[in-house]
Amino acid sequence: MREGDTVARIGGDEFVILLNDLRNKIDVSMVSRKIIERFSSPFMLNDQEYFISTSIGASIYPGDGEDALTLLKNADSAMYKAKAAGRNNFQLYSPAMNEQASEQLMLETELRRALEREELRLYFQPQVSLVTGEIVGMEALLRWERPGQGIVPPNRFLPLAEESGLILPIGERVMETAARQNKAWQDEGLPPIQMAVNIAHRQFQQQDLTRLVGKVLCDTGLEPRWLELELTEGIFVTDTDKAVRIIGELKNIGVKLSIDDFGTGYSSLSYLKRFAVDTLKIDRSFIMGIPQDEDDVAITLAIISMAQSLRLSLVAEGVETPAQMDFLRQAGCTSMQGYLFSRPVPAEEMGAMR
Ligand code: C2E
Ligand code: MG
Ligand code: MG
């Protein structure tokens, strides 16, 4: 910052920067860009690398507010917009944002209600062996059956659920329901297979996952090995020691662990050595380019061969065409999940498919 600028921490992870005597809006975005750039390289603390993302929202006196409170409130709206745009972003305030903010608030209220009214439903997508063609597992995927609005996909409400903390009760419900359903199928005499549930970053950070998993297994009677938790690469970066501990505890219980969207997060491969995960799920963005895109082909082959040498299982995500399937089979990938075999379907349909 320049001499004369003010930087203040107003609470938690929120900071306010006061820039005096700016000539124009361009200056604000320049300063913001500079700050974001500074945060793009990791911080070293006790020989550990820490990655921090920054989201910046700005309001300008007097157009965006004539008093401090209004300016702060509007900068805050802009900051949420920046966050929603995918972190490490900068946004200038615009009046439309207040409208959006109240829409968000409404959505949050409704989501809370949806949880109580059980409008959140689990769909299931099969995972298929590329060797035998059999269904070897499935993933539980959340849907919001919102009255009058049809089926709302998770990317429309999960970011908000994560932001507001609602993901914690939602995540508990998901794990419990998925485990119960898997046990019910076993009790009906279907061959036992793994049920994967997605774990949000915030659940990993804030929920006592070990306790939750233990409770769910105990309540439902499902054997640990039939439950799989899908983690994202992000958790290995933000709090490595804690992640090592929790993953150790989960492995002790006996549940399976996989890394979702593999290859799209922080590509530090060293964590594969430190964390005893079972499965890598190759991200759909790589599968999409197969077989025509050379880079996607190269990356996918590299992931497959790495998984083989580390003795990890593999699932290719988002397989839509026979050409993709053939390629993956030939390359030695052992299973796949995607529209080619089946979209995510309600429990009844999944039961009938098996
Ligand atoms: P994900 O865990 O990577 O799940 C795979 C997504 O890819 C699903 O989207 C699935 O419907 C979609 N997909 C599968 N095969 C294909 C295909 O062949 N083509 C295309 N175009 N898409 C395919 P969905 O159900 O919309 O879920 C999106 C994301 O939302 C999930 O990505 C996951 O990160 C998150 N999510 C879903 N349910 C939950 C949940 O219960 N808890 C948490 N924390 N996250 C969830
Ligand atoms: Mg997943
Ligand atoms: Mg995925």
Side-chain angles (χ1 to χ4, degrees):
M1 312 313 306
R2 301 168 305 180
E3 204 160 317
D5 292 337
T6 308
V7 180
R9 172 164 176 249
I10 54 165
D13 56 357
E14 298 199 338
F15 296 82
V16 169
I17 297 172
L18 216 68
L19 303 172
N20 298 315
D21 302 321
L22 282 175
R23 278 158 316 175
N24 50 43
K25 291 187 178 182
I26 312 249
D27 282 359
V28 187
S29 57
M30 248 173 49
V31 173
S32 301
R33 208 159 304 134
K34 231 172 61 187
I35 296 171
I36 290 172
E37 223 173 81
R38 281 295 176 87
F39 277 89
S40 66
S41 37
F43 290 81
M44 292 296 286
L45 293 175
N46 296 328
D47 292 334
Q48 277 260 12
E49 282 190 333
Y50 290 86
F51 293 84
I52 295 172
S53 65
T54 340
S55 305
I56 304 179
S59 57
I60 301 175
Y61 174 86
D64 299 336
E66 296 194 340
D67 54 79
L69 221 63
T70 313
L71 282 168
L72 277 174
K73 187 174 117 308
N74 290 343
D76 201 47
S77 302
M79 190 264 292
Y80 275 101
K81 187 78 198 292
K83 264 194 193 184
R87 321 263 147 167
N88 290 327
N89 264 303
F90 160 69
Q91 275 287 335
L92 265 177
Y93 171 76
S94 79
M97 282 173 190
N98 272 334
E99 248 166 70
Q100 275 175 7
S102 61
E103 240 171 65
Q104 287 265 309
L105 199 67
M106 219 171 70
L107 193 68
E108 192 184 319
T109 316
E110 284 201 35
L111 189 56
R112 216 172 276 279
R113 231 176 269 152
L115 185 66
E116 287 159 17
R117 294 186 187 157
E118 315 222 337
E119 290 167 15
L120 298 179
R121 271 243 276 168
L122 280 184
Y123 277 44
F124 302 93
Q125 189 177 33
Q127 295 168 348
V128 189
S129 163
L130 281 163
V131 184
T132 64
E134 282 167 18
I135 297 179
V136 287
M138 66 194 129
E139 175 174 8
L141 293 159
L142 203 53
R143 300 287 181 266
W144 179 4
E145 297 183 340
R146 198 173 171 189
Q149 310 231 9
I151 294 171
V152 187
N155 60 0
R156 296 260 304 282
F157 62 89
L158 278 181
L160 182 69
E162 187 138 5
E163 190 73 56
S164 63
L166 264 177
I167 192 67
L168 302 180
I170 290 176
E172 272 191 53
R173 184 81 62 87
V174 166
M175 197 189 292
E176 157 93 30
T177 312
R180 197 173 293 287
Q181 180 63 66
N182 202 17
K183 181 69 167 64
W185 277 321
Q186 292 181 4
D187 291 345
E188 280 172 31
L190 290 166
I193 57 176
Q194 263 166 37
M195 168 74 79
V197 294
N198 292 284
I199 302 295
H201 197 152
R202 185 150 176 181
Q203 281 180 276
F204 199 86
Q205 284 176 321
Q206 295 187 350
Q207 216 158 24
D208 187 344
L209 261 190
T210 314
R211 193 197 54 84
L212 175 62
V213 168
K215 179 177 182 306
V216 163
L217 293 173
C218 181
D219 288 353
T220 60
L222 184 72
E223 268 181 70
R225 61 184 161 142
W226 304 123
L227 181 65
E228 175 174 300
L229 308 184
E230 293 196 0
L231 311 169
T232 50
E233 289 171 280
I235 62 155
F236 300 104
V237 186
T238 33
D239 193 345
T240 318
D241 292 337
K242 189 172 162 202
V244 171
R245 178 175 58 78
I246 297 177
I247 286 186
E249 289 172 3
L250 292 170
K251 290 303 293 181
N252 268 339
I253 295 180
V255 291
K256 303 287 178 204
L257 300 173
S258 60
I259 301 177
D260 206 352
D261 309 334
F262 184 74
T264 59
Y266 302 91
S267 36
S268 156
L269 294 176
S270 63
Y271 69 77
L272 284 180
K273 213 175 54 179
R274 293 191 59 195
F275 299 95
V277 296
D278 305 280
T279 304
L280 303 183
K281 298 191 74 180
I282 311 174
D283 190 63
R284 184 166 72 87
S285 59
F286 304 125
I287 306 300
M288 248 157 49
I290 288 174
Q292 68 283 0
D293 185 303
E294 278 172 37
D295 295 338
D296 288 344
V297 165
I299 291 170
T300 303
L301 289 176
I303 295 177
I304 293 173
S305 99
M306 188 175 65
Q308 285 170 339
S309 13
L310 291 169
R311 280 182 277 288
L312 298 170
S313 308
L314 274 172
V315 179
E317 293 190 281
V319 177
E320 293 184 350
T321 67
Q324 289 167 345
M325 180 177 70
D326 294 340
F327 174 91
L328 288 162
R329 183 185 288 126
Q330 257 177 17
C333 179
T334 41
S335 54
M336 66 164 192
Q337 176 182 344
Y339 293 173
L340 178 65
F341 188 82
S342 169
R343 287 180 180 255
V345 294
E348 311 78 63
E349 272 179 63
M350 181 71 207
M353 199 186 318
R354 295 185 54 197

